[in-house]
Amino acid sequence: MNDNKQLIKNVALDLFGQKGYEDTSLAEIAKDVGIKKPSIYNHFRSKEDLFTDVLEDLIVSEVTAYRKTEVAMNHQEPLMNVRVLFDLFCQRLMTTKEALLWKRVTFFPPEQFKDLIQEQFIHLERVTTSILVSVYKEGVNQGMFQEVTEDEFVASFLCLVDGVFLEHHYYTDEIFQQRIESAWKVYALGISSGKGE
């Protein structure tokens, strides 16, 4: 990919995440990149086109991280694999540039992009769900998760990370770390039969 195009997207990701779509101008993006505003049109038809590209890159980054983690999982340790997914979610939430934009578009989606954001959210959830289902089946085969159905297992994990997503918005990193450890402790006790540990 053209270096300038990627640089424009990187700067746009930061600004869209910090200020939102409506309050970020192409002129501001161009200034931070170190180019003139008309140069953006060499790569993107419009601000809408740039935002769509940035959002799609965000989802690709998320999906790639989850798929890479799935490949590295130890299939003999289902409960640990759930923890690995939970830690991945928390780590990405705290350390990636994409997380800020993801939070902003989740809480305050620009009107013209609501359908696209919903579509991308559902895509990411399907990927996460497919990994969770695989982990669940491994756990059931090993005598874990016996009191929980597949749908309950998936829904509970997604609700857990949705809660973490909101918590991160309001607390310092230190308090957030304490809260996610507490949440995990109770969650793990709730889904595990205690077998295979």
Side-chain angles (χ1 to χ4, degrees):
M1 179 187 296
N2 180 292
D3 286 347
N4 261 2
K5 182 174 184 179
Q6 189 58 55
L7 187 54
I8 291 166
K9 290 204 286 186
N10 291 345
V11 168
L13 172 66
D14 286 343
L15 291 174
F16 287 145
Q18 292 166 26
K19 302 178 68 175
Y21 174 78
E22 292 89 351
D23 292 333
T24 300
S25 68
L26 288 181
E28 189 175 10
I29 293 168
K31 181 183 173 197
D32 282 9
V33 172
I35 59 175
K36 301 290 186 188
K37 178 182 168 182
S39 298
I40 290 179
Y41 295 109
N42 292 331
H43 308 285
F44 302 96
R45 293 185 305 274
S46 62
K47 181 176 156 184
E48 291 85 352
D49 186 39
L50 172 56
F51 183 82
T52 299
D53 244 36
V54 168
L55 187 64
E56 288 172 354
D57 284 357
L58 183 159
I59 297 301
V60 167
S61 175
E62 292 297 306
V63 167
T64 300
Y66 278 89
R67 289 298 188 201
K68 185 176 176 185
T69 297
E70 179 184 26
V71 169
M73 285 178 173
N74 178 349
H75 297 295
Q76 301 307 309
E77 298 286 345
L79 189 58
M80 179 57 68
N81 289 339
V82 182
R83 179 64 200 243
V84 166
L85 286 173
F86 179 69
D87 287 346
L88 174 66
F89 179 89
C90 295
Q91 177 264 327
R92 290 190 66 76
L93 186 60
M94 295 174 70
T95 62
T96 67
K97 291 181 180 182
E98 290 93 346
L100 186 58
L101 178 59
W102 193 232
K103 274 202 277 191
R104 183 172 287 279
V105 299
T106 299
F107 294 133
F108 311 106
E111 190 61 40
Q112 67 268 47
F113 295 106
K114 276 188 176 179
D115 289 344
L116 176 63
I117 291 164
Q118 178 73 8
E119 181 184 306
Q120 298 289 5
F121 176 83
I122 294 298
H123 173 60
L124 179 57
E125 188 171 284
R126 281 191 187 121
V127 169
T128 309
T129 296
S130 73
I131 299 170
L132 287 167
V133 166
S134 176
V135 170
Y136 174 81
K137 288 177 177 173
E138 291 161 2
V140 168
N141 288 339
Q142 294 179 35
M144 302 173 71
F145 314 144
Q146 294 298 330
E147 304 300 318
V148 183
T149 69
E150 182 181 297
D151 286 346
E152 288 169 340
F153 180 81
V154 171
S156 67
F157 182 84
L158 295 177
C159 286
L160 175 67
V161 295
D162 284 349
V164 166
F165 190 69
L166 187 61
E167 291 280 299
H168 187 252
H169 188 69
Y170 290 107
Y171 296 100
T172 64
D173 283 350
E174 183 181 351
I175 294 172
F176 177 67
Q177 287 287 358
Q178 292 168 357
R179 293 175 80 93
I180 61 177
E181 286 306 320
S182 298
W184 172 258
K185 180 179 178 181
V186 175
Y187 179 76
L189 287 170
I191 62 168
S192 175
S193 66
K195 296 180 182 175
E197 295 181 76

